[in-house]
Amino acid sequence: MQFTSGFNWGSEDFLAAGDLLFLGGMTYFFAARFVHGRRRQVVIGVLVLAGVALIWAELAVGVLS
């Protein structure tokens, strides 16, 4: 894009990435409020991060299909 031609993202791609990151962050924020203990909050964070990474990879290259 600006520094390399290896990516060809349009505005809808940036919107999808922003939505995915925002929803992942809000999911962690609300889920971590309802559990007690630092260890459980870390587990929730890892699960949300893994979910976001899986969705990102699926949208990027279709790893599940």
Side-chain angles (χ1 to χ4, degrees):
M1 307 255 312
Q2 186 174 5
F3 299 108
T4 181
S5 62
F7 303 101
N8 188 16
W9 281 28
S11 58
E12 65 279 352
D13 297 319
F14 284 104
L15 183 63
D19 286 345
L20 182 60
L21 292 175
F22 177 76
L23 290 174
M26 293 307 292
T27 300
Y28 171 74
F29 177 75
F30 286 118
R33 292 180 68 191
F34 291 108
V35 297
H36 301 290
R38 185 74 174 147
R39 182 175 292 178
R40 290 181 181 176
Q41 289 177 346
V42 169
V43 168
I44 288 174
V46 168
L47 290 175
V48 169
L49 185 62
V52 167
L54 181 63
I55 293 170
W56 190 296
E58 175 62 29
L59 290 173
V61 295
V63 294
L64 298 177
S65 46

